[in-house]
Amino acid sequence: MTPKLKMATPDSFSVEVHTTHNRGFTPEEIAERCAGKIIAVSDGAHPAIQAQAHAFRRDITRLVSFYLREAIKSDRTTVYNALTDAGHPELAELIRRL
C-alpha cells in the first residue's frame, strides 16, 4: 500500500505580477524581489527590529545584485567563446560589447 502524502496549504494565497516595457529586468530589480522573498518583517515588530531587517534587506539586495551582474558577465563570456569557436567572431564581438 502506498503511503498517503499530506500537504499543507497556506490560509492565504497571493500572486504577484512584475512587468517591464521593451526590456528585461535589471539585476537590481531581480535582487530586490529576491531579498523580499528572503527577508520579511512584521508591521507590528518593534521599530528597532524593523530598522535592522530593512538594513539587512538593503545589504542582501546589493549583494545579490552584484552576483547577478557577475553571472551575466560570465554567461556573456561563455556565449562569446561559443560564437567564436563556431566561426562567428563578428557576432561574438557584438555580444561582448553588450
Short mmCIF file of all heavy atoms in Angstrom, two decimals, residues 17-43:
data_model
loop_
_atom_site.label_atom_id
_atom_site.label_comp_id
_atom_site.label_asym_id
_atom_site.label_seq_id
_atom_site.Cartn_x
_atom_site.Cartn_y
_atom_site.Cartn_z
N VAL A 17 2.59 39.95 -10.04
CA VAL A 17 2.97 40.05 -11.44
C VAL A 17 3.89 41.26 -11.58
O VAL A 17 3.56 42.35 -11.13
CB VAL A 17 1.74 40.23 -12.36
CG1 VAL A 17 2.16 40.42 -13.80
CG2 VAL A 17 0.79 39.05 -12.21
N HIS A 18 5.05 41.02 -12.15
CA HIS A 18 6.01 42.09 -12.39
C HIS A 18 6.24 42.17 -13.89
O HIS A 18 6.46 41.13 -14.53
CB HIS A 18 7.34 41.80 -11.67
CG HIS A 18 7.19 41.67 -10.19
ND1 HIS A 18 7.38 42.72 -9.34
CD2 HIS A 18 6.84 40.61 -9.42
CE1 HIS A 18 7.17 42.31 -8.10
NE2 HIS A 18 6.85 41.03 -8.12
N THR A 19 6.20 43.35 -14.44
CA THR A 19 6.40 43.50 -15.87
C THR A 19 7.37 44.63 -16.16
O THR A 19 7.63 45.49 -15.32
CB THR A 19 5.07 43.81 -16.60
OG1 THR A 19 4.56 45.06 -16.12
CG2 THR A 19 4.04 42.71 -16.37
N THR A 20 7.90 44.61 -17.37
CA THR A 20 8.71 45.71 -17.88
C THR A 20 8.18 46.03 -19.27
O THR A 20 7.37 45.29 -19.83
CB THR A 20 10.19 45.33 -17.98
OG1 THR A 20 10.32 44.24 -18.89
CG2 THR A 20 10.77 44.97 -16.62
N HIS A 21 8.64 47.11 -19.82
CA HIS A 21 8.21 47.51 -21.16
C HIS A 21 9.42 47.58 -22.07
O HIS A 21 10.33 48.40 -21.86
CB HIS A 21 7.50 48.87 -21.10
CG HIS A 21 6.93 49.30 -22.41
ND1 HIS A 21 5.87 48.67 -23.02
CD2 HIS A 21 7.29 50.30 -23.25
CE1 HIS A 21 5.61 49.26 -24.15
NE2 HIS A 21 6.46 50.25 -24.31
N ASN A 22 9.48 46.70 -23.05
CA ASN A 22 10.55 46.65 -24.05
C ASN A 22 11.94 46.39 -23.47
O ASN A 22 12.93 46.88 -23.99
CB ASN A 22 10.58 47.94 -24.89
CG ASN A 22 9.36 48.06 -25.77
OD1 ASN A 22 8.78 47.07 -26.19
ND2 ASN A 22 8.95 49.28 -26.05
N ARG A 23 12.00 45.65 -22.37
CA ARG A 23 13.30 45.28 -21.79
C ARG A 23 13.09 44.16 -20.80
O ARG A 23 11.96 43.87 -20.41
CB ARG A 23 13.96 46.47 -21.10
CG ARG A 23 13.20 46.96 -19.86
CD ARG A 23 13.94 48.07 -19.12
NE ARG A 23 13.21 48.52 -17.97
CZ ARG A 23 13.24 47.97 -16.76
NH1 ARG A 23 13.96 46.90 -16.56
NH2 ARG A 23 12.56 48.48 -15.77
N GLY A 24 14.18 43.54 -20.42
CA GLY A 24 14.13 42.54 -19.36
C GLY A 24 14.32 43.24 -18.02
O GLY A 24 14.48 44.45 -17.94
N PHE A 25 14.30 42.45 -16.97
CA PHE A 25 14.53 43.00 -15.64
C PHE A 25 16.01 43.24 -15.41
O PHE A 25 16.85 42.47 -15.87
CB PHE A 25 14.00 42.05 -14.56
CG PHE A 25 12.49 41.98 -14.53
CD1 PHE A 25 11.82 40.93 -15.13
CD2 PHE A 25 11.76 42.98 -13.92
CE1 PHE A 25 10.44 40.87 -15.11
CE2 PHE A 25 10.38 42.93 -13.91
CZ PHE A 25 9.71 41.87 -14.50
N THR A 26 16.34 44.29 -14.69
CA THR A 26 17.72 44.58 -14.34
C THR A 26 18.14 43.68 -13.18
O THR A 26 17.27 43.18 -12.42
CB THR A 26 17.91 46.05 -13.92
OG1 THR A 26 17.19 46.27 -12.69
CG2 THR A 26 17.42 47.01 -14.98
N PRO A 27 19.44 43.48 -12.99
CA PRO A 27 19.89 42.71 -11.83
C PRO A 27 19.38 43.32 -10.51
O PRO A 27 19.03 42.59 -9.58
CB PRO A 27 21.42 42.78 -11.91
CG PRO A 27 21.69 42.96 -13.36
CD PRO A 27 20.56 43.82 -13.87
N GLU A 28 19.32 44.64 -10.45
CA GLU A 28 18.85 45.30 -9.23
C GLU A 28 17.38 45.00 -8.95
O GLU A 28 16.99 44.78 -7.80
CB GLU A 28 19.09 46.81 -9.33
CG GLU A 28 20.55 47.22 -9.32
CD GLU A 28 21.29 46.97 -10.64
OE1 GLU A 28 20.64 46.82 -11.69
OE2 GLU A 28 22.52 46.89 -10.60
N GLU A 29 16.57 45.00 -10.01
CA GLU A 29 15.14 44.70 -9.83
C GLU A 29 14.94 43.25 -9.37
O GLU A 29 14.14 42.99 -8.48
CB GLU A 29 14.39 44.95 -11.15
CG GLU A 29 14.29 46.41 -11.51
CD GLU A 29 13.83 46.66 -12.94
OE1 GLU A 29 14.00 45.76 -13.80
OE2 GLU A 29 13.32 47.77 -13.19
N ILE A 30 15.68 42.35 -9.96
CA ILE A 30 15.58 40.94 -9.57
C ILE A 30 16.09 40.76 -8.14
O ILE A 30 15.50 40.03 -7.34
CB ILE A 30 16.33 40.04 -10.55
CG1 ILE A 30 15.65 40.09 -11.92
CG2 ILE A 30 16.41 38.61 -10.04
CD1 ILE A 30 16.41 39.41 -13.02
N ALA A 31 17.18 41.45 -7.81
CA ALA A 31 17.75 41.35 -6.46
C ALA A 31 16.76 41.86 -5.41
O ALA A 31 16.64 41.27 -4.33
CB ALA A 31 19.05 42.13 -6.38
N GLU A 32 16.03 42.93 -5.70
CA GLU A 32 15.03 43.44 -4.76
C GLU A 32 13.94 42.42 -4.53
O GLU A 32 13.50 42.21 -3.39
CB GLU A 32 14.44 44.75 -5.29
CG GLU A 32 15.36 45.93 -5.17
CD GLU A 32 14.76 47.20 -5.75
OE1 GLU A 32 13.50 47.29 -5.85
OE2 GLU A 32 15.53 48.10 -6.11
N ARG A 33 13.48 41.77 -5.60
CA ARG A 33 12.44 40.75 -5.45
C ARG A 33 12.98 39.56 -4.64
O ARG A 33 12.28 39.01 -3.79
CB ARG A 33 11.95 40.30 -6.81
CG ARG A 33 11.12 41.38 -7.50
CD ARG A 33 10.72 41.06 -8.91
NE ARG A 33 10.16 39.73 -9.06
CZ ARG A 33 10.18 39.07 -10.21
NH1 ARG A 33 10.73 39.59 -11.28
NH2 ARG A 33 9.62 37.87 -10.29
N CYS A 34 14.21 39.17 -4.91
CA CYS A 34 14.83 38.05 -4.19
C CYS A 34 14.94 38.38 -2.70
O CYS A 34 14.55 37.57 -1.85
CB CYS A 34 16.21 37.78 -4.79
SG CYS A 34 17.11 36.45 -3.98
N ALA A 35 15.45 39.55 -2.38
CA ALA A 35 15.60 39.95 -0.98
C ALA A 35 14.25 40.01 -0.29
O ALA A 35 14.13 39.66 0.89
CB ALA A 35 16.31 41.30 -0.89
N GLY A 36 13.22 40.42 -1.02
CA GLY A 36 11.88 40.47 -0.45
C GLY A 36 11.35 39.10 -0.09
O GLY A 36 10.54 38.95 0.83
N LYS A 37 11.79 38.07 -0.83
CA LYS A 37 11.38 36.70 -0.52
C LYS A 37 12.19 36.12 0.64
O LYS A 37 11.71 35.28 1.38
CB LYS A 37 11.54 35.79 -1.74
CG LYS A 37 10.67 36.16 -2.90
CD LYS A 37 9.21 35.93 -2.57
CE LYS A 37 8.34 36.24 -3.77
NZ LYS A 37 6.93 36.09 -3.47
N ILE A 38 13.43 36.59 0.79
CA ILE A 38 14.32 36.06 1.84
C ILE A 38 14.03 36.72 3.18
O ILE A 38 14.03 36.07 4.22
CB ILE A 38 15.80 36.29 1.46
CG1 ILE A 38 16.14 35.46 0.22
CG2 ILE A 38 16.73 35.94 2.61
CD1 ILE A 38 17.50 35.79 -0.38
N ILE A 39 13.78 38.03 3.16
CA ILE A 39 13.68 38.80 4.40
C ILE A 39 12.32 39.48 4.48
O ILE A 39 11.96 40.25 3.60
CB ILE A 39 14.78 39.87 4.47
CG1 ILE A 39 16.14 39.21 4.36
CG2 ILE A 39 14.66 40.70 5.74
CD1 ILE A 39 17.22 40.13 3.92
N ALA A 40 11.61 39.22 5.53
CA ALA A 40 10.33 39.87 5.78
C ALA A 40 10.28 40.26 7.25
O ALA A 40 10.88 39.60 8.10
CB ALA A 40 9.17 38.94 5.45
N VAL A 41 9.59 41.33 7.52
CA VAL A 41 9.43 41.76 8.91
C VAL A 41 7.99 42.23 9.11
O VAL A 41 7.42 42.87 8.22
CB VAL A 41 10.46 42.86 9.30
CG1 VAL A 41 10.27 44.12 8.47
CG2 VAL A 41 10.41 43.17 10.78
N SER A 42 7.45 41.89 10.22
CA SER A 42 6.07 42.23 10.53
C SER A 42 5.92 43.74 10.75
O SER A 42 6.80 44.39 11.32
CB SER A 42 5.64 41.49 11.79
OG SER A 42 4.39 41.97 12.25
N ASP A 43 4.78 44.28 10.32
CA ASP A 43 4.48 45.68 10.59
C ASP A 43 4.34 45.93 12.09
O ASP A 43 4.53 47.04 12.56
CB ASP A 43 3.20 46.10 9.88
CG ASP A 43 3.35 46.16 8.37
OD1 ASP A 43 4.49 46.32 7.89
OD2 ASP A 43 2.32 46.04 7.67
#
